[in-house]
């Protein structure tokens, strides 16, 4: 049984630890699951040209990104034997130390959970039209570059 | 014939707008030519284009009310 229902990916502001804990708790009824893998992206205090990043402001081409998230999800369900997956990404301002990406994959066995989660995170980073503006203490900014 | 243009990320700072309109362009090559004439500073940054939310890799016909998006390199996550 797979859970393919569509949910909204974008969350305004940081993703809270309470939200993540609640998401985990919601899976206790799904007793076919034997392994969860969770990836959390956290805003890092990068030092760029002697200035420290204090926050990232995320923006996205939301309609296109939602379509792509849907396509990526469908392909992951075909490729791996997983039970369910959830993706949440922040929009707007997220301070350093706060969570901006929450990817949650559940499977019967750990290998599928690990492999699918990693694949999912890499695809989200490479394929979805989302941009981060790194804000410094003095309110100046640079546009984030992904590795 | 009117094409709606959405501009994202760093490009919106270069163009100084998040939305534009262009008239009388039949395909994405013509669109590009016109865009670079209007905004020569766009040469400074690499970007891809999406037509109606699909990334394009070659010259693509444009129709009335199509939406073209200018997408700088992604940096989500």
């Amino acid at each position: 049984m797979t859970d393919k229902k569509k949910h909204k990916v974008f969350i305004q502001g940081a993703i809270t630890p309470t939200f993540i804990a609640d998401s985990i708790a919601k899976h206790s009824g799904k007793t076919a699951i034997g392994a969860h893998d969770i990836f959390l992206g956290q805003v890092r205090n990068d030092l760029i040209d002697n200035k420290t990043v204090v926050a990232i402001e995320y923006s996205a081409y939301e309609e296109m990104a939602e379509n792509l998230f849907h396509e990526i999800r469908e392909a992951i369900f075909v490729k791996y034997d997983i039970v369910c997956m959830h993706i949440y990404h922040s929009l707007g301002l997220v301070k350093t130390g706060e969570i901006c990406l929450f990817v949650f994959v559940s499977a019967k066995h750990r290998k599928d959970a690990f492999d699918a989660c990693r694949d999912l995170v890499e695809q989200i980073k490479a394929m979805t039209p989302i941009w981060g503006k790194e804000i410094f203490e003095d309110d100046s900014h640079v546009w984030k570059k992904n590795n | 014939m009117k094409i709606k243009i959405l501009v994202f990320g760093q490009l919106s700072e270069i163009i100084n707008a998040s939305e534009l309109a262009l008239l009388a362009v039949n395909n994405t090559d013509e669109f590009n030519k016109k865009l670079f004439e209007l905004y020569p500073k766009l040469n400074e940054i690499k970007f891809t284009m999406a037509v109606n939310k699909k990334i394009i890799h070659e010259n693509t016909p444009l129709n009335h009310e199509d939406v073209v998006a200018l997408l700088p390199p992604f940096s989500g996550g």
Side-chain angles (χ1 to χ4, degrees):
Chain A
M1 215 170 56
T2 54
D3 170 15
K4 289 190 186 182
K5 76 175 188 295
K6 239 177 143 177
H7 68 74
K8 232 180 134 38
V9 166
F10 290 113
I11 289 184
Q12 204 58 43
I15 299 162
T16 65
T18 311
F19 181 86
I20 295 162
D22 287 347
S23 294
I24 298 168
K26 279 180 192 157
H27 289 74
S28 61
K30 295 186 178 180
T31 47
I33 294 170
H36 297 300
D37 195 21
I38 289 175
F39 176 84
L40 300 174
Q42 174 167 301
V43 174
R44 185 179 50 233
N45 67 341
D46 273 352
L47 190 68
I48 303 169
D49 293 336
N50 280 322
K51 290 196 283 190
T52 306
V53 171
V54 293
I56 294 180
E57 189 180 358
Y58 288 101
S59 56
Y61 185 2
E62 286 185 59
E63 289 173 28
M64 183 178 161
E66 293 281 1
N67 288 351
L68 281 163
F69 280 126
H70 182 68
E71 284 172 25
I72 293 168
R73 278 173 62 84
E74 293 298 307
I76 292 280
F77 270 117
V78 170
K79 194 166 164 190
Y80 302 96
D81 186 13
I82 60 172
V83 178
C84 61
M85 77 173 92
H86 307 275
I87 306 165
Y88 298 95
H89 196 297
S90 292
L91 282 182
L93 205 69
V94 184
K95 293 181 199 142
T96 49
E98 292 182 329
I99 303 299
C100 55
L101 173 62
F102 170 28
V103 176
F104 187 176
V105 178
S106 307
K108 281 190 169 167
H109 304 287
R110 69 184 181 283
K111 190 173 185 310
D112 287 304
F114 284 144
D115 294 349
C117 189
R118 188 189 184 103
D119 197 351
L120 200 48
V121 171
E122 296 301 335
Q123 288 197 47
I124 291 166
K125 290 236 176 203
M127 290 168 60
T128 54
I130 302 173
W131 298 276
K133 191 162 90 172
E134 294 177 307
I135 320 260
F136 301 110
E137 287 148 310
D138 62 0
D139 281 342
S140 60
H141 68 263
V142 292
W143 288 90
K144 182 172 174 262
K145 291 187 178 78
N146 274 1
N147 296 320
Chain B
M1 172 89 171
K2 190 175 174 183
I3 307 295
K4 184 175 166 186
I5 308 157
L6 302 176
V7 190
F8 292 95
Q10 193 177 2
L11 294 172
S12 63
E13 290 185 342
I14 291 174
I15 289 182
N16 207 13
S18 57
E19 209 174 308
L20 302 167
L22 267 189
L23 302 166
V25 283
N26 295 308
N27 54 55
T28 50
D29 280 357
E30 285 180 25
F31 173 96
N32 256 328
K33 195 165 166 272
K34 210 153 187 173
L35 191 72
F36 281 104
E37 278 168 19
L38 290 167
Y39 304 99
K41 281 185 91 176
L42 283 176
N43 284 304
E44 292 166 17
I45 174 174
K46 210 176 80 180
F47 64 92
T48 53
M49 273 167 57
V51 175
N52 300 329
K53 295 176 236 163
K54 296 268 180 211
I55 287 181
I56 57 149
H57 302 283
E58 55 193 27
N59 191 21
T60 303
L62 290 173
N63 299 301
H64 183 56
E65 295 194 331
D66 276 353
V67 179
V68 177
L70 309 182
L71 312 171
F74 305 152
S75 55

